[in-house]
Amino acid sequence: MFKQPPREVVREHMKLILPDRTIRVADPVPATVETILQREGINPLEVMVSRDGKLIPEDTLVSGDDELRIIRISHGG
Amino acid sequence: MNPVPVQQDPPACSVCGEPAVIHQRHAGRYLCGTDLVADLEQRVAGTIASQQQVVPGDCVAVALSGGKDSTALLVMLHRLFGSRDDIRLVAVTVDEGITGYREETVRSAADLVRKLGVEHITVSFGELFGDSLDTFLKGRKAQACTICGILRKKALVAGAKRAGATKLATGHNLDDEAQSVLMNVLRGDLLRLVRDSGRESSGRFIPRIKPLTYVQEKEIATYLMVQGIWEDLPECPYAIHALRREVRSMLSGIEYRHPGTMLRLLENKKIIETAFSGKAGGEAVGRCRECGDPCSGETCQLCQLLHSLGR
Ligand SMILES: [Zn+2]
Ligand SMILES: [Zn+2]
Protein backbone atom coordinates (compact mmCIF):
# COMPACT_ATOMS: atom_id res chain seq x y z
CA MET A 1 0.00 0.00 0.00
CA PHE A 2 2.81 2.41 0.82
CA LYS A 3 5.75 2.92 -1.48
CA GLN A 4 9.01 2.48 0.38
CA PRO A 5 10.49 5.97 0.43
CA PRO A 6 14.19 6.62 -0.16
CA ARG A 7 16.06 6.61 3.12
CA GLU A 8 16.87 10.29 3.35
CA VAL A 9 13.22 11.39 3.32
CA VAL A 10 11.90 8.85 5.83
CA ARG A 11 11.70 11.53 8.50
CA GLU A 12 9.40 13.51 6.26
CA HIS A 13 6.77 10.84 6.67
CA MET A 14 4.38 11.07 9.52
CA LYS A 15 4.34 8.30 12.06
CA LEU A 16 0.90 7.21 13.16
CA ILE A 17 0.49 5.11 16.30
CA LEU A 18 -2.89 3.43 16.13
CA PRO A 19 -5.02 2.48 19.16
CA ASP A 20 -3.86 -1.13 18.95
CA ARG A 21 -0.27 0.20 19.14
CA THR A 22 0.59 -0.72 15.58
CA ILE A 23 2.67 1.91 13.83
CA ARG A 24 1.77 3.20 10.42
CA VAL A 25 3.65 5.58 8.18
CA ALA A 26 1.14 8.05 6.81
CA ASP A 27 1.21 9.96 3.54
CA PRO A 28 3.62 12.87 3.73
CA VAL A 29 1.18 15.64 2.92
CA PRO A 30 0.17 18.39 5.29
CA ALA A 31 -3.31 17.34 6.37
CA THR A 32 -5.64 17.85 9.27
CA VAL A 33 -5.88 15.21 11.98
CA GLU A 34 -9.51 14.82 10.94
CA THR A 35 -8.53 13.84 7.39
CA ILE A 36 -6.00 11.33 8.67
CA LEU A 37 -8.52 9.79 11.07
CA GLN A 38 -11.14 9.57 8.36
CA ARG A 39 -8.67 7.72 6.13
CA GLU A 40 -8.35 5.18 8.93
CA GLY A 41 -12.11 4.99 9.36
CA ILE A 42 -11.96 6.54 12.84
CA ASN A 43 -14.55 8.99 14.20
CA PRO A 44 -12.69 11.86 15.95
CA LEU A 45 -15.24 11.77 18.78
CA GLU A 46 -14.17 8.25 19.70
CA VAL A 47 -10.47 8.99 20.10
CA MET A 48 -8.00 11.52 21.46
CA VAL A 49 -4.96 12.40 19.38
CA SER A 50 -1.64 13.54 20.76
CA ARG A 51 1.37 14.96 18.93
CA ASP A 52 4.65 14.63 20.77
CA GLY A 53 2.70 13.88 23.93
CA LYS A 54 0.35 16.87 23.68
CA LEU A 55 -3.34 16.54 22.86
CA ILE A 56 -4.44 18.38 19.74
CA PRO A 57 -7.91 19.08 18.30
CA GLU A 58 -8.87 17.20 15.15
CA ASP A 59 -8.63 20.30 12.97
CA THR A 60 -4.93 20.80 13.66
CA LEU A 61 -2.72 20.68 10.58
CA VAL A 62 0.00 18.07 10.87
CA SER A 63 2.84 17.20 8.54
CA GLY A 64 6.40 16.07 8.08
CA ASP A 65 8.11 15.04 11.27
CA ASP A 66 5.01 14.73 13.39
CA GLU A 67 4.38 11.64 15.42
CA LEU A 68 0.69 11.15 16.15
CA ARG A 69 -0.71 8.82 18.76
CA ILE A 70 -4.36 7.84 18.53
CA ILE A 71 -5.88 6.90 21.86
CA ARG A 72 -9.20 5.11 21.77
CA ILE A 73 -11.81 6.18 24.31
CA SER A 74 -13.31 2.90 25.36
CA HIS A 75 -16.84 2.67 26.60
CA GLY A 76 -17.37 1.96 30.24
CA GLY A 77 -17.52 4.06 33.15
CA MET B 1 20.33 19.82 19.88
CA ASN B 2 18.30 18.86 16.83
CA PRO B 3 16.61 21.68 14.98
CA VAL B 4 13.00 22.00 16.04
CA PRO B 5 10.81 20.79 13.17
CA VAL B 6 8.39 23.31 11.74
CA GLN B 7 5.08 22.50 13.31
CA GLN B 8 1.66 23.93 12.78
CA ASP B 9 0.13 25.17 16.01
CA PRO B 10 -3.19 23.75 17.05
CA PRO B 11 -6.11 26.19 16.99
CA ALA B 12 -6.01 28.69 19.85
CA CYS B 13 -8.13 28.34 22.99
CA SER B 14 -11.21 30.53 22.60
CA VAL B 15 -10.82 31.70 26.20
CA CYS B 16 -7.11 32.37 26.72
CA GLY B 17 -5.40 31.95 23.34
CA GLU B 18 -3.10 29.10 24.43
CA PRO B 19 -2.92 26.00 22.18
CA ALA B 20 -6.23 24.14 22.36
CA VAL B 21 -6.58 20.45 23.22
CA ILE B 22 -10.20 19.99 22.17
CA HIS B 23 -12.72 21.33 19.71
CA GLN B 24 -16.06 21.60 21.51
CA ARG B 25 -18.15 21.28 18.39
CA HIS B 26 -21.45 21.57 20.28
CA ALA B 27 -20.35 24.94 21.65
CA GLY B 28 -18.45 26.04 18.54
CA ARG B 29 -15.19 26.75 20.35
CA TYR B 30 -11.72 25.46 21.21
CA LEU B 31 -10.39 24.99 24.73
CA CYS B 32 -6.95 24.47 26.24
CA GLY B 33 -6.50 21.92 29.03
CA THR B 34 -6.89 24.40 31.86
CA ASP B 35 -10.03 25.94 30.44
CA LEU B 36 -11.54 22.55 29.62
CA VAL B 37 -11.10 21.44 33.25
CA ALA B 38 -12.65 24.70 34.46
CA ASP B 39 -15.51 24.44 31.96
CA LEU B 40 -16.41 20.87 32.88
CA GLU B 41 -16.26 21.48 36.62
CA GLN B 42 -18.41 24.57 36.23
CA ARG B 43 -20.98 22.78 34.10
CA VAL B 44 -21.17 19.84 36.49
CA ALA B 45 -21.51 22.16 39.49
CA GLY B 46 -24.28 23.87 37.53
CA THR B 47 -26.13 20.59 36.89
CA ILE B 48 -25.85 19.66 40.55
CA ALA B 49 -27.09 23.05 41.72
CA SER B 50 -29.93 23.44 39.24
CA GLN B 51 -31.35 20.00 40.01
CA GLN B 52 -30.46 20.19 43.72
CA GLN B 53 -28.72 16.86 43.30
CA VAL B 54 -26.63 17.37 46.42
CA VAL B 55 -27.81 19.33 49.45
CA PRO B 56 -26.29 19.97 52.90
CA GLY B 57 -26.58 16.89 55.07
CA ASP B 58 -26.28 14.47 52.15
CA CYS B 59 -24.14 11.39 52.19
CA VAL B 60 -23.37 10.75 48.51
CA ALA B 61 -22.45 7.23 47.45
CA VAL B 62 -20.40 7.57 44.28
CA ALA B 63 -20.50 4.52 42.04
CA LEU B 64 -16.83 3.98 41.21
CA SER B 65 -16.06 1.29 38.67
CA GLY B 66 -12.58 2.66 38.19
CA GLY B 67 -13.30 3.45 34.53
CA LYS B 68 -13.02 6.94 33.09
CA ASP B 69 -16.50 8.30 33.81
CA SER B 70 -16.69 7.29 37.45
CA THR B 71 -13.10 8.39 37.99
CA ALA B 72 -13.88 11.85 36.61
CA LEU B 73 -17.09 11.97 38.66
CA LEU B 74 -15.32 11.20 41.93
CA VAL B 75 -12.52 13.68 41.18
CA MET B 76 -15.07 16.41 40.47
CA LEU B 77 -17.30 15.67 43.45
CA HIS B 78 -14.25 15.54 45.68
CA ARG B 79 -13.15 18.97 44.42
CA LEU B 80 -16.63 20.36 44.92
CA PHE B 81 -17.49 18.81 48.26
CA GLY B 82 -14.32 17.21 49.65
CA SER B 83 -13.70 19.97 52.17
CA ARG B 84 -17.32 20.36 53.25
CA ASP B 85 -18.31 19.21 56.75
CA ASP B 86 -21.98 18.91 55.86
CA ILE B 87 -21.55 16.60 52.85
CA ARG B 88 -20.03 13.12 52.97
CA LEU B 89 -18.66 11.21 49.98
CA VAL B 90 -18.30 7.43 49.92
CA ALA B 91 -17.06 5.56 46.84
CA VAL B 92 -18.85 2.29 46.11
CA THR B 93 -17.23 -0.25 43.83
CA VAL B 94 -19.06 -3.30 42.51
CA ASP B 95 -16.87 -6.27 41.66
CA GLU B 96 -18.98 -8.29 39.23
CA GLY B 97 -16.35 -10.95 38.78
CA ILE B 98 -15.26 -10.45 35.16
CA THR B 99 -11.92 -12.12 34.60
CA GLY B 100 -9.36 -10.15 32.64
CA TYR B 101 -11.26 -6.89 33.03
CA ARG B 102 -12.40 -6.10 36.52
CA GLU B 103 -9.08 -6.73 38.26
CA GLU B 104 -7.51 -3.72 36.57
CA THR B 105 -10.42 -1.34 37.05
CA VAL B 106 -10.86 -2.37 40.70
CA ARG B 107 -7.17 -1.62 41.26
CA SER B 108 -7.56 1.72 39.49
CA ALA B 109 -10.53 2.52 41.78
CA ALA B 110 -8.53 1.59 44.88
CA ASP B 111 -5.60 3.78 43.78
CA LEU B 112 -7.89 6.76 43.25
CA VAL B 113 -9.66 6.63 46.62
CA ARG B 114 -6.32 6.25 48.34
CA LYS B 115 -4.98 9.30 46.55
CA LEU B 116 -8.08 11.38 47.31
CA GLY B 117 -8.58 10.04 50.82
CA VAL B 118 -12.22 9.07 50.20
CA GLU B 119 -14.04 6.31 52.09
CA HIS B 120 -14.44 3.19 49.96
CA ILE B 121 -16.84 0.25 50.04
CA THR B 122 -16.56 -2.72 47.68
CA VAL B 123 -19.39 -5.20 47.14
CA SER B 124 -19.04 -8.29 44.98
CA PHE B 125 -21.55 -10.38 43.08
CA GLY B 126 -20.01 -13.34 44.89
CA GLU B 127 -20.97 -12.12 48.37
CA LEU B 128 -24.38 -10.80 47.30
CA PHE B 129 -25.60 -13.37 44.79
CA GLY B 130 -23.37 -16.35 45.47
CA ASP B 131 -21.36 -16.34 42.26
CA SER B 132 -19.40 -14.25 39.77
CA LEU B 133 -20.89 -12.73 36.63
CA ASP B 134 -18.62 -14.98 34.56
CA THR B 135 -20.33 -18.00 36.13
CA PHE B 136 -23.85 -16.58 35.72
CA LEU B 137 -23.20 -15.89 32.05
CA LYS B 138 -22.13 -19.38 31.03
CA GLY B 139 -24.31 -20.16 28.02
CA ARG B 140 -26.05 -16.76 28.06
CA LYS B 141 -23.43 -14.30 26.96
CA ALA B 142 -25.85 -12.64 24.55
CA GLN B 143 -27.84 -11.34 27.53
CA ALA B 144 -24.71 -10.21 29.38
CA CYS B 145 -25.48 -6.51 29.72
CA THR B 146 -29.12 -7.06 30.68
CA ILE B 147 -28.26 -9.59 33.38
CA CYS B 148 -25.28 -7.62 34.64
CA GLY B 149 -27.30 -4.40 34.65
CA ILE B 150 -29.98 -5.85 36.94
CA LEU B 151 -27.47 -7.39 39.34
CA ARG B 152 -25.22 -4.36 39.39
CA LYS B 153 -28.06 -1.99 40.14
CA LYS B 154 -28.94 -4.12 43.17
CA ALA B 155 -25.30 -4.35 44.23
CA LEU B 156 -24.83 -0.59 44.00
CA VAL B 157 -27.87 0.04 46.15
CA ALA B 158 -26.59 -2.52 48.67
CA GLY B 159 -23.26 -0.69 48.80
CA ALA B 160 -24.97 2.69 49.08
CA LYS B 161 -27.13 1.41 51.95
CA ARG B 162 -24.07 0.06 53.68
CA ALA B 163 -22.54 3.54 53.37
CA GLY B 164 -25.68 5.11 54.85
CA ALA B 165 -26.07 7.13 51.66
CA THR B 166 -28.88 9.57 50.94
CA LYS B 167 -27.92 9.90 47.24
CA LEU B 168 -26.40 7.54 44.73
CA ALA B 169 -24.28 9.26 42.08
CA THR B 170 -23.35 7.50 38.84
CA GLY B 171 -20.99 8.58 36.06
CA HIS B 172 -23.45 8.36 33.17
CA ASN B 173 -22.41 10.90 30.56
CA LEU B 174 -24.20 12.58 27.68
CA ASP B 175 -23.28 9.80 25.26
CA ASP B 176 -24.67 7.14 27.64
CA GLU B 177 -27.89 9.03 28.19
CA ALA B 178 -28.45 9.75 24.50
CA GLN B 179 -27.73 6.10 23.68
CA SER B 180 -30.28 5.00 26.25
CA VAL B 181 -32.99 7.19 24.73
CA LEU B 182 -32.30 5.78 21.28
CA MET B 183 -32.02 2.19 22.52
CA ASN B 184 -35.36 2.41 24.24
CA VAL B 185 -36.88 3.72 21.03
CA LEU B 186 -35.31 0.86 19.07
CA ARG B 187 -36.67 -1.62 21.58
CA GLY B 188 -40.15 -0.13 21.43
CA ASP B 189 -39.99 0.70 25.13
CA LEU B 190 -39.59 4.45 25.43
CA LEU B 191 -41.46 4.58 28.73
CA ARG B 192 -38.66 2.67 30.36
CA LEU B 193 -36.94 6.06 30.53
CA VAL B 194 -39.50 7.17 33.07
CA ARG B 195 -39.49 3.93 35.02
CA ASP B 196 -35.69 3.95 35.28
CA SER B 197 -35.21 7.58 36.03
CA GLY B 198 -35.44 7.10 39.79
CA ARG B 199 -36.72 10.64 40.12
CA GLU B 200 -40.05 9.60 41.47
CA SER B 201 -38.38 8.45 44.65
CA SER B 202 -40.91 8.57 47.43
CA GLY B 203 -38.49 7.87 50.21
CA ARG B 204 -38.23 4.20 49.35
CA PHE B 205 -35.39 4.55 46.86
CA ILE B 206 -32.05 6.15 47.38
CA PRO B 207 -32.37 8.91 44.78
CA ARG B 208 -30.02 8.51 41.84
CA ILE B 209 -28.11 11.50 40.53
CA LYS B 210 -26.15 11.79 37.29
CA PRO B 211 -24.04 14.94 37.49
CA LEU B 212 -22.22 14.19 34.18
CA THR B 213 -25.43 13.98 32.13
CA TYR B 214 -24.49 17.01 30.02
CA VAL B 215 -20.82 16.18 29.53
CA GLN B 216 -19.62 14.32 26.44
CA GLU B 217 -17.56 11.20 26.71
CA LYS B 218 -14.68 12.76 24.80
CA GLU B 219 -14.71 15.79 27.11
CA ILE B 220 -14.43 13.46 30.10
CA ALA B 221 -11.55 11.49 28.59
CA THR B 222 -9.76 14.74 27.74
CA TYR B 223 -10.44 16.10 31.24
CA LEU B 224 -8.60 13.10 32.70
CA MET B 225 -5.82 13.13 30.12
CA VAL B 226 -4.82 16.77 30.61
CA GLN B 227 -4.62 16.18 34.37
CA GLY B 228 -2.51 13.07 34.01
CA ILE B 229 -5.16 10.76 35.49
CA TRP B 230 -6.14 8.97 32.29
CA GLU B 231 -5.59 5.24 32.32
CA ASP B 232 -5.89 3.07 29.26
CA LEU B 233 -8.15 0.36 30.66
CA PRO B 234 -9.58 -2.66 28.89
CA GLU B 235 -13.15 -2.66 27.63
CA CYS B 236 -15.63 -5.07 29.19
CA PRO B 237 -15.31 -8.34 27.25
CA TYR B 238 -19.09 -8.81 27.22
CA ALA B 239 -19.78 -5.43 25.62
CA ILE B 240 -19.36 -6.85 22.11
CA HIS B 241 -22.73 -8.55 22.50
CA ALA B 242 -24.57 -5.39 23.28
CA LEU B 243 -26.93 -3.35 21.13
CA ARG B 244 -25.41 -0.38 22.91
CA ARG B 245 -22.17 -0.86 21.05
CA GLU B 246 -23.85 -0.45 17.69
CA VAL B 247 -25.93 2.48 18.87
CA ARG B 248 -22.84 4.14 20.33
CA SER B 249 -20.91 4.02 17.10
CA MET B 250 -23.85 5.17 14.99
CA LEU B 251 -24.75 8.00 17.34
CA SER B 252 -21.23 9.35 17.70
CA GLY B 253 -20.98 9.44 13.91
CA ILE B 254 -24.17 11.49 13.71
CA GLU B 255 -23.07 13.72 16.58
CA TYR B 256 -19.79 14.45 14.83
CA ARG B 257 -21.50 15.48 11.61
CA HIS B 258 -24.43 17.17 13.36
CA PRO B 259 -23.18 18.56 16.68
CA GLY B 260 -25.89 18.83 19.33
CA THR B 261 -27.73 15.68 18.28
CA MET B 262 -27.10 13.96 21.62
CA LEU B 263 -28.40 16.95 23.58
CA ARG B 264 -31.52 17.04 21.40
CA LEU B 265 -32.09 13.31 21.95
CA LEU B 266 -32.02 13.99 25.70
CA GLU B 267 -34.75 16.56 25.24
CA ASN B 268 -37.08 13.65 24.47
CA LYS B 269 -36.40 12.25 27.90
CA LYS B 270 -37.41 15.53 29.50
CA ILE B 271 -40.59 15.69 27.43
CA ILE B 272 -41.59 12.20 28.50
CA GLU B 273 -40.69 12.83 32.12
CA THR B 274 -42.80 15.96 32.12
CA ALA B 275 -45.73 14.21 30.44
CA PHE B 276 -45.62 11.34 32.91
CA SER B 277 -44.53 13.16 36.04
CA GLY B 278 -46.14 11.55 39.04
CA LYS B 279 -47.52 8.71 36.96
CA ALA B 280 -44.41 6.50 37.04
CA GLY B 281 -44.95 5.34 33.48
CA GLY B 282 -48.56 4.46 34.21
CA GLU B 283 -47.61 1.69 36.60
CA ALA B 284 -48.19 1.78 40.30
CA VAL B 285 -45.08 1.06 42.35
CA GLY B 286 -45.57 -1.79 44.76
CA ARG B 287 -43.28 -4.17 46.52
CA CYS B 288 -41.73 -7.43 45.40
CA ARG B 289 -43.50 -10.44 46.93
CA GLU B 290 -40.17 -12.10 47.60
CA CYS B 291 -37.61 -9.51 48.58
CA GLY B 292 -39.79 -6.51 49.42
CA ASP B 293 -37.94 -4.17 47.08
CA PRO B 294 -39.94 -1.56 45.18
CA CYS B 295 -41.15 -2.93 41.84
CA SER B 296 -43.91 -2.54 39.30
CA GLY B 297 -45.12 -6.15 39.11
CA GLU B 298 -45.52 -8.92 41.69
CA THR B 299 -41.92 -10.04 41.63
CA CYS B 300 -39.02 -7.72 40.94
CA GLN B 301 -36.68 -8.08 37.96
CA LEU B 302 -33.89 -9.24 40.21
CA CYS B 303 -35.86 -12.07 41.87
CA GLN B 304 -37.10 -13.19 38.44
CA LEU B 305 -33.55 -13.15 37.16
CA LEU B 306 -32.15 -15.07 40.14
CA HIS B 307 -34.80 -17.76 39.60
CA SER B 308 -33.93 -18.06 35.93
CA LEU B 309 -30.26 -18.39 36.93
CA GLY B 310 -31.28 -21.26 39.21
CA ARG B 311 -30.73 -19.39 42.48
ZN1 LIG C 1 -7.42 28.47 27.58
ZN1 LIG D 1 -37.48 -9.14 44.54
Side-chain angles (χ1 to χ4, degrees):
Chain A
M1 198 170 159
F2 297 99
K3 272 187 245 153
Q4 195 59 44
R7 266 198 176 283
E8 58 273 20
V9 298
V10 161
R11 278 171 56 79
E12 290 303 311
H13 284 239
M14 208 167 39
K15 207 164 120 190
L16 207 58
I17 305 168
L18 296 174
D20 65 0
R21 296 199 169 81
T22 57
I23 296 175
R24 181 88 55 92
V25 177
D27 287 345
V29 292
T32 63
V33 171
E34 181 180 32
T35 308
I36 292 163
L37 291 177
Q38 276 166 355
R39 269 186 220 148
E40 300 292 330
I42 297 171
N43 176 348
L45 276 181
E46 295 180 16
V47 295
M48 293 179 282
V49 177
S50 71
R51 177 175 62 188
D52 306 329
K54 288 198 185 96
L55 289 183
I56 50 175
E58 62 272 11
D59 20 28
T60 307
L61 262 182
V62 290
S63 60
D65 270 329
D66 289 350
E67 181 179 302
L68 297 188
R69 179 184 291 274
I70 302 171
I71 305 138
R72 186 165 298 280
I73 303 167
S74 57
H75 178 74
Chain B
M1 224 178 100
N2 290 327
V4 180
V6 184
Q7 218 170 52
Q8 299 272 354
D9 281 338
C13 171
S14 309
V15 178
C16 72
E18 289 293 305
V21 296
I22 194 168
H23 183 180
Q24 279 186 327
R25 309 182 84 85
H26 55 89
R29 62 178 186 176
Y30 297 92
L31 290 180
C32 69
T34 309
D35 283 309
L36 175 76
V37 169
D39 175 60
L40 257 54
E41 292 181 349
Q42 212 177 325
R43 277 158 60 197
V44 168
T47 302
I48 292 173
S50 72
Q51 301 184 16
Q52 291 188 297
Q53 291 179 335
V54 179
V55 294
D58 265 341
C59 170
V60 184
V62 185
L64 178 68
S65 69
K68 63 179 189 325
D69 303 310
S70 61
T71 295
L73 177 64
L74 186 63
V75 168
M76 287 188 200
L77 292 180
H78 183 255
R79 269 181 208 160
L80 279 172
F81 303 120
S83 57
R84 292 264 297 256
D85 291 331
D86 55 350
I87 290 164
R88 198 174 134 230
L89 293 179
V90 184
V92 175
T93 299
V94 175
D95 185 352
E96 302 92 346
I98 306 175
T99 310
Y101 166 65
R102 219 8 133 204
E103 300 90 339
E104 264 192 79
T105 49
V106 164
R107 177 201 43 79
S108 165
D111 288 349
L112 181 68
V113 292
R114 206 175 308 120
K115 207 167 70 188
L116 297 177
V118 171
E119 263 181 86
H120 193 202
I121 290 175
T122 302
V123 285
S124 72
F125 278 13
E127 67 175 287
L128 284 177
F129 311 120
D131 237 322
S132 68
L133 184 66
D134 283 341
T135 310
F136 287 136
L137 288 184
K138 288 210 173 100
R140 16 172 137 236
K141 287 201 170 65
Q143 300 155 264
C145 293
T146 310
I147 293 175
C148 181
I150 295 169
L151 296 175
R152 197 174 38 194
K153 198 185 248 177
K154 177 75 179 183
L156 265 181
V157 171
K161 280 185 179 155
R162 215 176 282 175
T166 54
K167 298 281 165 61
L168 173 55
T170 58
H172 292 91
N173 59 41
L174 178 59
D175 298 53
D176 296 326
E177 294 296 287
Q179 287 156 17
S180 294
V181 173
L182 196 49
M183 283 169 70
N184 289 329
V185 171
L186 295 174
R187 287 184 176 126
D189 189 13
L190 194 53
L191 288 190
R192 182 204 287 255
L193 285 176
V194 199
R195 288 200 296 277
D196 281 357
S197 68
R199 264 181 146 204
E200 71 284 13
S201 51
S202 49
R204 292 193 283 188
F205 300 94
I206 299 176
R208 284 249 219 164
I209 58 170
K210 297 175 180 175
L212 304 185
T213 299
Y214 295 104
V215 185
Q216 257 179 20
E217 184 166 62
K218 178 161 179 172
E219 295 179 302
I220 292 171
T222 310
Y223 172 86
L224 295 176
M225 185 64 98
V226 298
Q227 295 181 90
I229 33 183
W230 167 266
E231 268 198 87
D232 211 357
L233 292 167
E235 197 151 45
C236 177
Y238 296 117
I240 49 164
H241 302 283
L243 170 66
R244 185 174 288 275
R245 197 186 171 92
E246 289 178 51
V247 168
R248 177 182 189 241
S249 145
M250 175 180 75
L251 197 50
S252 70
I254 301 175
E255 172 68 30
Y256 189 72
R257 293 185 298 276
H258 309 279
T261 297
M262 290 186 184
L263 270 174
R264 290 190 287 275
L265 258 175
L266 263 204
E267 289 300 312
N268 291 290
K269 186 172 177 175
K270 273 196 222 144
I271 293 167
I272 290 166
E273 276 173 353
T274 310
F276 281 89
S277 65
K279 293 182 202 157
E283 289 173 66
V285 175
R287 281 184 181 269
C288 171
R289 201 168 47 181
E290 295 185 30
C291 69
D293 272 6
C295 74
S296 49
E298 283 196 356
T299 330
C300 74
Q301 259 186 325
L302 175 74
C303 289
Q304 288 173 25
L305 173 65
L306 290 174
H307 287 314
S308 76
L309 294 173
R311 301 284 144 172

